[in-house]
Amino acid sequence: MNELHSETSPYLLQHANNPVHWKAWNANSLATAQEQNKLIIVSIGYSACHWCHVMEHESFENDEVAQTMNQHFINIKVDREERPDVDAVYMKAVQIMTGRGGWPLNIVALPDGRPVWGGTYFRKDEWISTLEQLQTIYQSQPEKMIGYAEKLHLGIESLGMSKAEISSETLNQNSIEPLIEKWIKSFDLEFGGMARAPKFMMPNNYQFLLRYGHQKQNQEVLDFVNLTLTKMAYGGLFDTVDGGFSRYSVDMKWHVPHFEKMLYDNGQLVSLYADAYKLTKNPLYKEVIEKTLTFISRELTNAENGFFCALDADSLNEKQHLEEGAFYVWKEATLQNILKDDFELFRQVFNVNEFGYWEEGNYVLIQNQELKAIAIQNKMTLSELQSKKKTWEQLLFIEREKRSKPRLDDKALTSWNAIMLKGFVDAYKAFGDENYLKTAIKNAAFIIENQWTPEGNLYHNYKNGKSTINGYLEDYCFVIDAFIALYEVTLDEKWLQNAKQLTDYCFDSFYDEKSGFFAFTSKIDAPLITTHFETEDNVIPASNSVMANNLFKLSIYFHNSYYETICMKMLQQIIPNIDYPSGYSNWLNVLMNYSEQNKELGVCGEKALEYITQINQNYFPNLVIAGTKAATSLPFLKDRFVENETQFYICQNQTCLLPTTDFEEALKMVFD
């Protein structure tokens, strides 16, 4: 047993019995490397990472590998979800060295932490050989390795933020259209998503494209978003039996997923499908949301109303061996036995055929036709087929529950909890289901009670009743975003005050005047080898782009010109330098806040919440909403409440029209 046995991370605990003398990332481990003048191995992964498990089994459980690692190196295991800051810095290094990245991420560094070599997955013999060569070089020619580390370190730092020339002209909305034209060339017009494999869902891409298509009345873009959302819902990527999406598809048609289910994906996708439902009223989108939130409540919610991180891709098969996807796939004979006389119809719906076949006799359920078309082909009503489909899924759920479930990553991360919280809020906006709002408020209470300290900072991690790791910018930006969303559905101003308090803390602890951006790691934390500024949107939008959007909204609610100035300066540095729009879609979303279509709506009166609830059921991405049922000191609504009357204020660019008491007229003014 190594030092990881005292950790709480499920990923680190999985390695606690390795013969490798693993240490956790902390000051003592790093000091030991310098005291003993040993190279450091930094191995980074996460609990739901399939290839992390493969490398563990092939190498880290092997005595020969352990002997090499233990003799010459200080070995540090990192859970990338607990330490996204460490992961980000070393990922930059590997991308510079190899041109690509991924997990497991394996780095060899000097005793001071500066990297000299790295990559992702390595087979046992290659791993041993490389480590021995590196150790030989360090013993015989340390100056050569130090020189390389210095050059690489300069390269890593050059990827940080540098002060760009700021011009007010860079917020021109016309800069978006050529980016869209470039982006369209990458669209997969058969299955949706980008025309490549593997296919990641990238929810913030489609949030922006949905907004752009709607506001610009671009039917081509809207059709593409709806094609993508439909094909993702049809694919094996979405678990039609139990709800929830897997992390990505290994193929072009969203069929065979990398079977892990991540909280952050599902939170964002619920928000995306909720917005798309408000625009289209597509019942498929509602089904996806309801199934996913049921899954989250049943499988990924802890006793304190927090949300767990993930379910693993691997689970025990019939032979009690860990196998990727074993919990989710089906044999044809098994399906025939469960469904009996309905099997042939089921086969047609879910493609138990060449289209739905995966490997080794296994099928992953996938649709490629609308139920309406299949109902017509079989001379039955749509409602009959929908009823049958629901019954089939219940039968499969009962059967699947008998299997060994995937391993659970039972830590709760503040940032991911906030993303999921917002998903529940957005589902409440779309459907008005009070249970969704109650779940969101309970989760907000979990964050406030457990993760927000009296000193004002957030913790990043929660496990077994213990909060650990000082929060990163991602924790703050997503909690602020979620609290603003709670205000939008409750009109309880405490959520805005909480959001503002956390925002001001971010300026004190994360903001960098020189770059004009927020650092990922707090100023009170020990510095890494370089400062990381997260600006590129990925499977999760960049923490700086989320902060920019927060600042835009809060600047309106609180009439705070400083917030607005910083938001604009961030945009003015990012927008002119965008090359590929998929990596900056959330920034483009913030840019659209400055279009002529963007407006603010204030509703003041005893029935304010009723009207706001109606507004929330519609898709108004260009509208900042506020409301009050009583007199308030909130700057945006101050002195606007009148007893026994409900008034609607339409504003734009800090200028408000005369109020109206006619709701329909107010909505018309929003559209004008």
Side-chain angles (χ1 to χ4, degrees):
M1 185 176 290
N2 53 52
E3 291 184 17
L4 299 184
H5 72 275
S6 60
E7 298 295 312
T8 60
S9 158
Y11 176 66
L12 298 185
L13 290 172
Q14 286 169 9
H15 291 265
N17 291 314
N18 293 168
V20 176
H21 295 163
W22 291 118
K23 298 176 180 292
W25 180 279
N26 54 49
N28 289 337
S29 300
L30 299 172
T32 299
Q34 294 203 327
E35 289 166 5
Q36 298 181 12
N37 193 29
K38 283 187 174 182
L39 293 174
I40 302 171
I41 293 174
V42 183
S43 183
I44 304 172
Y46 58 100
S47 69
C49 169
H50 172 70
W51 288 103
C52 299
H53 303 327
V54 173
M55 188 166 178
E56 177 192 16
H57 179 66
E58 291 180 350
S59 295
F60 302 144
E61 293 177 353
N62 182 276
D63 289 332
E64 183 183 0
V65 172
Q67 183 177 357
T68 299
M69 293 175 67
N70 295 339
Q71 183 176 357
H72 300 299
F73 300 88
I74 298 299
N75 306 297
I76 299 178
K77 252 295 168 196
V78 176
D79 181 341
R80 69 170 296 264
E81 296 167 358
E82 281 194 340
R83 295 302 305 255
D85 56 336
V86 176
D87 176 66
V89 168
Y90 287 119
M91 182 64 76
K92 286 180 185 177
V94 167
Q95 288 172 336
I96 290 172
M97 287 186 277
T98 69
R100 60 188 178 88
W103 299 276
L105 185 68
N106 292 289
I107 287 281
V108 174
L110 295 175
D112 62 8
R114 288 180 295 169
V116 294
W117 175 88
T120 53
Y121 166 78
F122 296 94
R123 296 189 182 279
K124 171 194 161 188
D125 292 342
E126 181 186 10
W127 180 244
I128 291 175
S129 174
T130 301
L131 294 181
E132 289 176 345
Q133 291 177 48
L134 289 167
Q135 173 59 19
T136 298
I137 294 171
Y138 188 59
Q139 285 183 325
S140 61
Q141 298 175 288
E143 68 285 349
K144 182 178 179 180
M145 192 170 280
I146 292 169
Y148 178 74
E150 289 174 349
K151 291 178 182 177
L152 180 58
H153 189 225
L154 289 173
I156 297 170
E157 290 193 316
S158 72
L159 294 178
M161 299 308 305
S162 58
K163 193 73 173 178
E165 196 69 32
I166 293 176
S167 168
S168 59
E169 295 179 6
T170 58
L171 291 188
N172 190 331
Q173 299 294 307
N174 294 333
S175 62
I176 299 177
E177 191 168 338
L179 292 171
I180 296 293
E181 291 174 358
K182 180 179 180 180
W183 203 352
I184 286 173
K185 295 175 183 178
S186 301
F187 288 1
D188 181 342
L189 299 179
E190 182 178 4
F191 290 103
M194 298 302 113
R196 59 177 175 264
K199 272 189 174 176
F200 287 84
M201 295 169 287
M202 304 294 289
N204 67 84
N205 280 187
Y206 302 104
Q207 284 279 15
F208 164 70
L209 288 171
L210 187 72
R211 178 177 182 177
Y212 176 86
H214 174 63
Q215 289 188 214
K216 299 295 185 180
Q217 297 182 329
N218 187 319
Q219 197 59 44
E220 180 185 7
V221 170
L222 284 177
D223 289 346
F224 171 70
V225 173
N226 283 298
L227 170 70
T228 300
L229 297 190
T230 298
K231 292 298 185 179
M232 289 198 307
Y234 280 176
L237 183 84
F238 178 68
D239 182 1
T240 191
V241 173
D242 190 24
F245 288 85
S246 293
R247 185 164 165 255
Y248 65 88
S249 166
V250 301
D251 59 275
M252 294 281 285
K253 61 185 183 181
W254 306 108
H255 179 208
V256 180
H258 201 8
F259 288 91
E260 69 263 48
K261 290 181 179 178
M262 312 300 295
L263 183 69
Y264 63 78
D265 282 323
N266 285 282
Q268 292 179 92
L269 287 164
V270 166
S271 294
L272 172 59
Y273 275 89
D275 280 349
Y277 176 82
K278 289 194 289 187
L279 186 59
T280 66
K281 306 303 179 186
N282 186 337
L284 174 65
Y285 298 170
K286 184 176 183 181
E287 178 186 344
V288 165
I289 293 167
E290 290 175 342
K291 285 182 175 179
T292 299
L293 294 183
T294 298
F295 160 73
I296 296 296
S297 296
R298 181 173 56 241
E299 301 291 345
L300 292 185
T301 303
N302 66 26
E304 297 93 339
N305 299 305
F307 301 122
F308 296 131
C309 276
L311 286 178
D312 204 335
D314 299 350
S315 54
L316 294 174
N317 59 21
E318 293 176 349
K319 297 179 181 179
Q320 298 302 296
H321 295 145
L322 281 175
E323 178 184 328
E324 184 183 5
F327 181 73
Y328 299 100
V329 299
W330 299 94
K331 304 285 188 186
E332 184 173 353
T334 303
L335 292 170
Q336 285 179 314
N337 185 53
I338 295 169
L339 300 163
K340 301 186 174 19
D341 293 343
D342 272 351
F343 174 69
E344 288 303 322
L345 184 57
F346 178 92
R347 178 203 293 273
Q348 193 177 352
V349 172
F350 287 113
N351 288 283
V352 185
N353 51 34
E354 185 177 342
F355 186 79
Y357 183 75
W358 178 29
E359 62 182 15
E360 298 181 6
N362 292 317
Y363 290 86
V364 180
L365 306 183
I366 181 174
Q367 287 182 248
N368 61 355
Q369 295 183 72
E370 293 183 0
L371 288 184
K372 183 179 180 180
I374 297 174
I376 292 172
Q377 292 166 28
N378 289 273
K379 298 179 180 178
M380 60 194 305
T381 66
L382 176 59
S383 61
E384 285 178 310
L385 184 54
Q386 288 173 329
S387 178
K388 279 186 174 292
K389 179 174 177 283
K390 190 172 183 179
T391 299
W392 298 337
E393 290 168 348
Q394 289 172 340
L395 289 172
L396 295 186
F397 175 79
I398 291 168
E399 180 64 26
R400 211 173 68 176
E401 285 294 290
K402 300 173 185 176
R403 301 177 180 177
S404 295
K405 289 194 173 185
R407 293 180 292 186
L408 172 69
D409 186 331
D410 62 348
K411 66 181 183 293
L413 299 180
T414 301
S415 52
W416 297 10
N417 269 251
I419 290 171
M420 192 69 247
L421 188 167
K422 190 169 187 292
F424 274 97
V425 171
D426 289 335
Y428 172 73
K429 287 181 178 179
F431 308 127
D433 187 328
E434 291 290 336
N435 290 320
Y436 294 158
L437 179 57
K438 289 176 183 177
T439 299
I441 291 174
K442 287 178 181 177
N443 182 250
F446 162 78
I447 291 172
I448 291 170
E449 292 167 10
N450 296 284
Q451 303 300 88
W452 196 357
T453 74
E455 291 73 32
N457 64 300
L458 293 172
Y459 282 114
H460 178 63
N461 184 53
Y462 180 88
K463 173 82 181 287
N464 296 337
K466 185 178 180 183
S467 301
T468 57
I469 306 175
N470 188 36
Y472 306 104
L473 183 62
E474 70 171 38
D475 298 302
Y476 292 84
C477 73
F478 287 116
V479 170
I480 293 165
D481 186 33
F483 284 176
I484 293 172
L486 278 171
Y487 167 75
E488 291 171 344
V489 294
T490 64
L491 304 186
D492 187 339
E493 291 175 14
K494 76 177 181 184
W495 299 117
L496 283 185
Q497 296 297 339
N498 286 342
K500 185 178 186 302
Q501 186 175 339
L502 289 170
T503 299
D504 291 340
Y505 184 90
C506 286
F507 274 106
D508 290 340
S509 301
F510 293 90
Y511 188 63
D512 178 67
E513 291 276 358
K514 183 179 179 181
S515 68
F517 290 87
F518 295 84
F520 190 76
T521 306
S522 170
K523 295 173 184 176
I524 66 174
D525 288 324
L528 300 176
I529 60 171
T530 190
T531 301
H532 175 49
F533 297 93
E534 187 179 63
T535 57
E536 189 170 333
D537 298 319
N538 206 299
V539 291
I540 298 177
S543 49
N544 270 288
S545 70
V546 178
M547 275 301 298
N549 198 52
N550 293 338
L551 291 173
F552 174 81
K553 289 186 176 182
L554 293 175
S555 73
I556 292 169
Y557 290 131
F558 291 99
H559 287 175
N560 190 312
S561 60
Y562 180 66
Y563 288 177
E564 183 183 16
T565 298
I566 299 303
C567 173
M568 292 183 70
K569 285 183 177 179
M570 294 166 79
L571 276 175
Q572 288 162 348
Q573 291 193 67
I574 291 290
I575 298 302
N577 297 305
I578 294 178
D579 180 31
Y580 53 101
S582 62
Y584 297 90
S585 55
N586 199 49
W587 287 107
L588 293 173
N589 181 67
V590 181
L591 176 60
M592 289 196 74
N593 292 342
Y594 290 92
S595 76
E596 287 301 312
Q597 294 170 303
N598 234 72
K599 295 178 181 176
E600 302 96 45
L601 171 64
V603 184
C604 300
E606 293 178 1
K607 295 184 178 180
L609 187 56
E610 296 175 29
Y611 287 115
I612 289 290
T613 300
Q614 291 183 55
I615 291 165
N616 281 329
Q617 291 174 350
N618 296 279
Y619 183 58
F620 293 134
N622 58 314
L623 188 64
V624 176
I625 59 173
T628 183
K629 296 188 289 183
T632 176
S633 59
L634 183 69
F636 180 67
L637 299 176
K638 188 177 180 182
D639 299 327
R640 289 182 172 172
F641 178 80
V642 178
E643 289 283 355
N644 302 317
E645 197 172 70
T646 298
Q647 295 187 323
F648 303 91
Y649 292 83
I650 304 296
C651 309
Q652 188 174 33
N653 295 329
Q654 301 177 343
T655 302
C656 295
L657 302 175
L658 289 174
T660 177
T661 56
D662 187 323
F663 181 53
E664 296 301 324
E665 182 183 350
L667 289 182
K668 184 180 178 182
M669 292 162 68
V670 169
F671 284 111
D672 286 345

